[in-house]
Amino acid sequence: MTEPDVRKGMPPVKLSRDEFERRYRKRFADPVFQSMQTELATIIAGAWDAYRHSRKAPVTRKAGPGFADPDYDLAVDWLSARDAIDEAQRRHDDPNEAPHILLINGSSRSEHTCPGEMSKSWRMVEIAEAAFREMGLAVDVLDLSRLTSEFGREIHPCKSCVSTSMALCHWPCSCYPNHSLGQTDDWMNEIYPLWVRAHGIMIISPVNWYQTPTGLKAMIDRLVCADGGNPDPTSTHGKTASEAKALELKGWPYPKHLRGRHFGIVVHGDSVGAETCRRFLADWLTDMELISAGGRAEIDGYVGYMKPYATSHRDLDEDRAFQEQVRNVALALGAAVDLARTGHLEDPGKGLEDPRPK
């Protein structure tokens, strides 16, 4: 068997005490904090101690039964996220629970921050939500515009642990929160259970420079752990790269944690890129072994094509056909979820194994 090989050699990133304090104080530029310098100095000293000693997860407990190493200290943040996912999976599998849809607004625009106006994507979300509720489906709306308009909403970047080893990418992600680096307020531990609970996922997104908006792409990147991620961080004793490589090289099963859920997509633009963006989303979801609800459930198009941005909401008002297409995506996805729940619709590839070497 190939021996694990961990490559190192990037420049150091550790800050000096003075530079750490300079950066930390930037968070308190508001003059209201001028009278709190003594208290602030105490807080900075504590934050420096956490940073200097790399206390990523300051509150832990023993993993306990069911883990490869029951005596390993796991972050309580991660354990809480794991418990929420387990409960979401239980509800997903319960035949007595109503079928559930996760409806995602991928736009970063919001009237509650700089744009000063609601997004067209949000209006499409309202159309789709009404259609789902008419069908008797339960709906969770995930509005990613809250990343730009709500205090304490962040999705931190994926660190690409997968490229070291799939076994190093934990399900759910264990990279955050990282208290020593101030990387807290990460939203993903609340988002993972929404995906797990759902029987159908509908994404509505505008085109931003041929791609999805920043917040939606951040969520996509952080969902990599759902596609083959390791559900047991004790098997790699946290982020021990050599152990993860050895585990993967023994043969890794690449569990598809979201397999079998159905999806629908709406992508809208104003000039170019809608088809490319829609295909990217469809490819991503299909690679995770979610199932398209069919041709009517995947659309891309243009609202106010090559017209002034200032009139784009009026253009959507007048584009009844596009509004009806959005409704049709919801109806097609809802129908697929209903058929799957009653056993009348199955994945055509069910039971087939990928012949490519792992």
Side-chain angles (χ1 to χ4, degrees), residues 232-249:
D232 185 355
T234 74
S235 66
T236 57
H237 292 95
K239 293 291 185 175
T240 307
S242 58
E243 291 186 22
K245 285 176 179 282
L247 191 58
E248 184 178 18
L249 290 170

Side-chain angles (χ1 to χ4, degrees), residues 11-15 23 51:
V13 295
K14 209 68 174 177
L15 303 181
R23 294 189 188 185
Y51 173 77

Side-chain angles (χ1 to χ4, degrees), residues 36 50 59 87 113 132 167 170 188 223-224 226 244 265 300 307 318:
M36 308 175 192
V59 184
E87 173 61 15
T113 186
F132 287 130
H170 300 140
M188 287 305 299
L223 276 162
V224 67
I265 300 169
D300 58 78
K307 292 182 179 179
E318 296 168 3

